[in-house]
Amino acid sequence: MNGVYTETDRTKSWWVAKVYNDFVNELGRSRTTQRALSCYALKRNVSDYPICGGFVGEIRITRPYHECDGEKLPKWIRKAKELGLIPMDAILDDIPGENIFLPQKLKRGPDSVEVWLNKSSFNPLLYPVCEMHGVTLVSVNGRACDDVIKALYRRCSSRTIILCLSDLSPSGAFFDADLYTNIERLKPSGSSAEIFVKRIGLKPEQVLELKIPMVTGRIDSKDDRDRFKRYLKSYGLDPSKIAELDALEVYYRGGIAAFLDEILSTNVKSY
């Protein structure tokens, strides 16, 4: 254990440990993401989030966890790990760069299938599902770069279905459409590969069906915001808010791994 810890550090870290243990006990899973834990803390709605007073470590009141508290949550999670209050691998972090995970045994069938997402913190949860189904997992930062698309063409010579996962947000809602545009743009001359891109989550109808709460998102470009507003218009959802993929960990039975397993166990062409 490194560093010096104040009473505030310890108090907030104990709170993180309590929320994590509630998550494990209620949902039956021992690993999740920072944003999923924040989503769970909001849903939990227990008035036990400690508010520090003017003196170091003084706790004057407790209240329910607020959405704005999420900004400091990574700090308290890190300290809770350092203090040994939660396992070091319990809360998953993003993995820098582009990551491609090829299954040991590819899925047999007329189509090859890949799962692409722009949140690499989910890789440890989704890779076992992809491995079980014999499909490739690809995670990128934001939008897919040219190199990762060129690598797609090097390994795909027949029909390939790409299933996309991303936030319902101005920057994430069009991850699949932008990916398809770039796949077409970079198609090598003479290539016989047929690549189809399908968005499997989050979709507006899933947010409505699962009653996933929308939260404040980061500031995106005006073009992205306007595009997002047009996209949500017919669903009655607030375009100033976003729904995070991490919410599936809380609002879908079995979490995001179960969500993907169900899709890969059915006819992916229907998505």
Side-chain angles (χ1 to χ4, degrees):
M1 185 174 67
N2 299 317
V4 176
Y5 300 95
T6 65
E7 285 302 313
T8 298
D9 292 337
R10 284 188 280 270
T11 301
K12 298 277 192 177
S13 297
W14 275 109
W15 176 84
V16 167
K18 179 66 167 63
V19 174
Y20 168 74
N21 287 327
D22 286 352
F23 177 94
V24 173
N25 292 333
E26 180 179 346
L27 303 180
R29 301 189 304 278
S30 61
R31 293 195 300 172
T32 194
T33 65
Q34 291 183 2
R35 294 304 304 164
L37 193 68
S38 179
C39 182
Y40 179 75
L42 285 170
K43 183 175 184 289
R44 182 169 166 266
N45 195 30
V46 177
S47 295
D48 63 354
Y49 186 75
I51 304 301
C52 298
F55 297 99
V56 175
E58 179 192 5
I59 306 301
R60 290 185 175 174
I61 60 171
T62 59
R63 58 161 171 77
Y65 177 81
H66 291 169
E67 182 184 318
C68 60
D69 297 320
E71 183 178 343
K72 289 287 186 69
L73 187 60
K75 174 183 177 180
W76 307 127
I77 288 173
R78 175 176 56 82
K79 290 183 179 293
K81 289 180 179 181
E82 292 171 353
L83 288 165
L85 301 177
I86 61 175
M88 291 298 291
D89 64 346
I91 310 299
L92 304 170
D93 298 316
D94 280 328
I95 303 169
E98 287 75 39
N99 303 273
I100 301 172
F101 302 89
L102 299 172
Q104 294 184 12
K105 190 174 182 180
L106 287 171
K107 179 180 181 180
R108 294 181 179 179
D111 302 320
S112 63
V113 179
E114 300 198 357
V115 175
W116 287 50
L117 71 158
N118 60 359
K119 280 197 168 184
S120 58
S121 55
F122 283 120
N123 290 352
L125 301 179
L126 297 184
Y127 174 68
V129 179
C130 290
E131 176 66 33
M132 180 175 63
H133 288 277
V135 306
T136 297
L137 174 66
V138 180
S139 68
V140 302
N141 290 330
R143 291 181 169 88
C145 70
D146 287 1
D147 286 344
V148 78
I149 294 174
K150 291 175 182 178
L152 167 68
Y153 275 111
R154 288 195 294 271
R155 66 179 177 271
C156 297
S157 58
S158 59
R159 279 177 53 95
T160 299
I161 298 175
I162 294 178
L163 306 176
C164 292
L165 289 164
S166 58
D167 290 343
L168 184 63
S169 68
S171 60
F174 309 103
F175 175 63
D176 55 323
D178 294 339
L179 176 61
Y180 180 75
T181 297
N182 287 324
I183 286 173
E184 288 294 295
R185 174 176 63 86
L186 293 168
K187 186 171 184 177
S189 177
S191 172
S192 60
E194 292 183 274
I195 300 175
F196 302 88
V197 179
K198 298 176 180 289
R199 180 177 181 82
I200 58 173
L202 278 173
K203 300 177 182 179
E205 52 266 41
Q206 292 166 339
V207 171
L208 293 170
E209 180 184 354
L210 297 172
K211 297 181 172 57
I212 292 175
M214 298 185 75
V215 298
T216 302
R218 64 182 180 84
I219 298 175
D220 295 279
S221 72
K222 184 178 184 303
D223 287 345
D224 282 346
R225 294 198 306 271
D226 290 344
R227 189 183 183 189
F228 189 57
K229 185 176 182 179
R230 291 192 298 271
Y231 177 50
L232 292 187
K233 186 176 181 180
S234 63
Y235 294 97
L237 295 173
D238 184 352
S240 68
K241 302 282 188 176
I242 69 168
E244 295 180 290
L245 193 61
D246 308 70
L248 288 173
E249 283 285 274
V250 179
Y251 289 88
Y252 191 86
R253 185 175 180 180
I256 193 170
F259 176 84
L260 181 59
D261 179 56
E262 181 174 337
I263 290 173
L264 294 178
S265 298
T266 59
N267 182 5
V268 299
K269 293 181 181 179
S270 64
Y271 286 86

